[in-house]
Every structure is written in structure tokens, then in C-alpha cells.
Amino acid sequence: MKCRKCGGKASINMRQHRLALCKEHYLEWIPEQTERFIKKYNMFSRDEKILVAVSGGKDSLTLWDILNRLGYQADGLYLGLGIDEGIGYSHESQRLAEKFANENNLKLHIVDIEKTYGQSIPVLSEVSHRGHGKPCAVCGLSKRHEMNRIARDLGYAVLATGHNLDDEAAVLFGNTLHWISDYLLRQGPVLPEADGLARKVKPLCRFYEREMTAYCLSRGIEYIYDECPFAEGAKSIYYKELLNQLETTRPGAKLIFYLKFLDARKRGDLFIEQDVEKANLHLCNKCGQPTSAPDLCSFCRMIEKANSVIVSEV
Ligand code: Q46
Ligand code: ZN
Ligand code: ZN
């Protein structure tokens, strides 16, 4: 297989795009495409400050690397979740996020959930009894809350995450399967800013996961190979496997599924009523982020509950 650009030996063949490239041209093609998506979806402009959510995994480090290579003003945010599970998961992912920041002279904000709120994510999950024995519900809630808080408090125009096409197609598949209309309406490359909420963008949402792995390895970026130990058995992983089976027989199926959904949403063809809850949103008394709950938002309520349980147990 030959590189389409230079005729040299191709190192990656992307059947879904009918495109094969050598390493050098692949490392040019990925940022070019990213720039195209940033413009196409109006994600952000050159004079806006971007906060990249960095987990130490390949996608978020790849995103940070690309934005940096493209000359955007992108700082990182690492959230210390306090997940150990015998493999020092959080410790290792933080080390790799810091290593990347240091090597590239980039600014990385670190927020340690336990130091900031008194408890790690697994402990918060246990004492708040959310999420049926798995910390993912509390983790997701905390990540959304903290990313938004830091973006807003430190004056970033936009929050960027490293979700790739495999992530987005799996989420779309799950939301379609359960017909979760509110999520379907909000899924897309850009979630505009709203009262108290920063704009959220996903510049890698049209790249396959294997394309991101190839980029990360070709750039020599060291990332955490292990998934979070709590990801095991997650529905999203099962959906990814199903979609990969489909992709094997029909290259491009995942991309078409996602892009056709975006088209339908843009045309207003989803036939979904707007969520009435939006009208009832107000700002949380404690943190100022929007919520539909009467007093405190879900995150602040969880922290209050967790701390009161722990104090009463002492
Ligand atoms: S939610 Fe669950 Fe993830 Fe949090 S606890 Fe781990 S698997 S990191 S994307
Ligand atoms: Zn080439
Ligand atoms: Zn709150």
C-alpha cells in the first residue's frame, strides 16, 4: 500500500476514508482535518482561550498536542479522582498528564477532588449511595461540575474534550436504543454556552479511535494504556464492540451513523419535543451553576450529604 501524497510506503490505511498515508503525511493530515472540523462546526476562534480536559489517556493528550501544534491557546485541566484499585490509576494518569505538559511547556491546572471536597470519587460514591455500587455516576457528575467550574472561574471561553468517533457513536447508539430525547438533542460537536455553563466542544469527534491511537504512537506521546478499572463491563464498551463488528463488514458505517444523525438534527428531523425542564432552570445557591433542583445542584447536594454522613460516623 502506498501513501496517497508521496507514493512512499503507507503506514496507515483508513478503509473508511479510502485513504492510505505514510507516517509523515499522516501526522500532517490529522491536524489539517482537525482544523477543518473546528471551523466547520464553529468551535472556537484563534483569540479564544481553550481549556482541554486532560485525563492522561491517548485521546485527551492527542487533542492537546494537535491544538498546540495548530497554535491555539490551549491549557490543560487534570482532575484527580483518587482512583487506585491496586494499579494506582489516578496516580499514573496524573504523572503522564504532567509529563506531557512539562515536555511541551504547557500550563496544566490540577484539581484534586479529595483535597478540594474532602473525599475521593470512590468514597463519595459509597457514602452517597449513587450509581448502584459503581462510582461512575458520581464521577461523571463531579467531572462535569468541576470542568465547568474551572473553565468559568479562570475565564476560559471554551472547554474541549477528547471524545472520538467511537465514543460518540457508542453514546448515540445508547441514546437511540433508549430513545433519550434530551440527550439526543444535546449531542454534537458543540454544546453552546448557556447561563453559568461554558461552551463545550469535541474537536476529535470525527476521528476513529484507531486513528487517535496511531497518531499518539506516531508522535511518541506516552499515555496511560489501562482503562479506568471501573470501566469494565460498561455498556458503552459493549456498544463499541457491536459497532466495530458492523464496521468490519461495512467500513465507514460508524462515521455515517454519526454524520447522518448530525444532519438530521440540524434539519430539525429528530421529531423530539424540546425539554420543558429547561424553563425551570435556576442557579444553584452554593456554586452558581444551573440546576433544575429547587435549592442546591446535584453535585453540591452530594458533597453536603457525603460530608454530613462522614462527620456523623466519626
Ligand atoms: S466514569 Fe467510571 Fe470513567 Fe469515572 S469511574 Fe472511571 S470509568 S473515569 S470515563
Ligand atoms: Zn507520504
Ligand atoms: Zn451547586
Side-chain angles (χ1 to χ4, degrees):
M1 189 77 54
K2 287 184 173 168
C3 168
R4 187 193 284 177
K5 298 219 168 161
C6 67
K9 190 175 176 295
S11 62
I12 181 157
N13 178 23
M14 294 169 282
R15 280 169 74 206
Q16 64 280 8
H17 307 309
R18 296 208 182 95
L19 178 66
L21 293 171
C22 69
K23 180 176 161 183
E24 187 192 325
H25 284 114
Y26 184 66
L27 289 178
E28 279 175 14
W29 182 79
I30 291 280
E32 279 166 17
Q33 292 298 306
T34 312
E35 182 78 307
R36 193 165 74 80
F37 302 149
I38 291 170
K39 295 213 167 92
K40 179 178 168 65
Y41 298 111
N42 243 327
M43 292 189 181
F44 41 76
S45 60
R46 295 230 157 245
D47 48 17
E48 287 184 307
K49 267 176 67 187
I50 305 154
L51 184 64
V52 182
V54 180
S55 68
K58 66 177 183 319
D59 301 300
S60 56
L61 291 177
T62 288
L63 173 60
W64 205 9
D65 184 65
I66 295 172
L67 294 180
N68 187 31
R69 285 180 68 200
L70 288 170
Y72 285 100
Q73 311 172 51
D75 296 341
L77 167 63
Y78 176 85
L79 295 177
L81 306 171
I83 295 173
D84 184 275
E85 293 297 293
I87 58 166
Y89 178 75
S90 285
H91 188 268
E92 179 63 1
S93 55
Q94 181 169 341
R95 183 184 75 77
L96 294 169
E98 287 181 305
K99 178 174 183 261
F100 182 86
N102 291 338
E103 284 172 0
N104 292 280
N105 244 330
L106 295 168
K107 186 193 267 183
L108 177 67
H109 304 283
I110 296 178
V111 173
D112 188 292
I113 298 284
E114 184 170 357
K115 280 190 197 139
T116 314
Y117 294 102
Q119 315 300 334
S120 68
I121 293 291
V123 174
L124 281 172
S125 171
E126 213 170 290
V127 291
S128 68
H129 299 293
R130 281 170 177 256
H132 313 288
K134 269 206 165 203
C136 297
V138 166
C139 183
L141 174 68
S142 310
K143 284 197 280 198
R144 283 191 299 278
H145 187 275
E146 289 304 280
M147 287 192 256
N148 195 57
R149 178 176 71 85
I150 300 294
R152 193 192 57 185
D153 289 0
L154 301 184
Y156 288 92
V158 53
L159 179 69
T161 56
H163 294 93
N164 60 41
L165 177 68
D166 293 48
D167 299 322
E168 291 302 287
V171 169
L172 176 59
F173 189 71
N175 289 342
T176 310
L177 210 54
H178 299 101
W179 210 247
I180 311 178
S181 46
D182 186 32
Y183 290 178
L184 283 170
L185 274 176
R186 291 188 313 145
Q187 191 181 353
V190 179
L191 191 60
E193 51 265 70
D195 241 1
L197 291 175
R199 185 187 333 148
K200 292 196 185 101
V201 298
K202 298 170 183 169
L204 307 183
C205 66
R206 289 179 56 162
F207 290 118
Y208 281 70
E209 183 161 342
R210 68 181 283 266
E211 294 168 0
M212 296 297 90
T213 310
Y215 179 91
C216 217
L217 293 173
S218 304
R219 288 280 292 157
I221 298 170
E222 197 186 346
Y223 63 92
I224 185 153
Y225 292 99
D226 292 313
E227 289 263 13
C228 167
F230 294 111
E232 207 189 312
K235 266 197 218 133
S236 58
I237 295 184
Y238 177 57
Y239 295 155
K240 280 185 184 177
E241 285 167 7
L242 286 178
L243 291 166
N244 280 340
Q245 284 178 27
L246 181 64
E247 184 76 23
T248 311
T249 45
R250 292 185 48 208
K254 247 186 289 198
L255 186 58
I256 291 168
F257 177 48
Y258 182 61
L259 293 184
K260 292 283 176 197
F261 158 73
L262 292 184
D263 285 349
R265 204 188 64 153
K266 197 171 170 195
R267 287 195 308 268
D269 279 358
L270 290 182
F271 304 110
I272 296 167
E273 296 280 326
Q274 281 285 347
D275 190 1
V276 284
E277 255 193 14
K278 271 197 191 107
N280 301 325
L281 284 186
H282 66 96
L283 301 184
C284 166
N285 289 346
K286 194 160 180 197
C287 71
Q289 296 197 26
T291 175
S292 55
D295 180 13
L296 298 183
C297 73
S298 316
F299 178 80
C300 293
R301 250 183 305 140
M302 173 191 72
I303 296 291
E304 280 214 340
K305 185 177 168 199
N307 286 331
S308 67
V309 169
I310 284 166
V311 168
S312 65
E313 277 176 358
V314 170

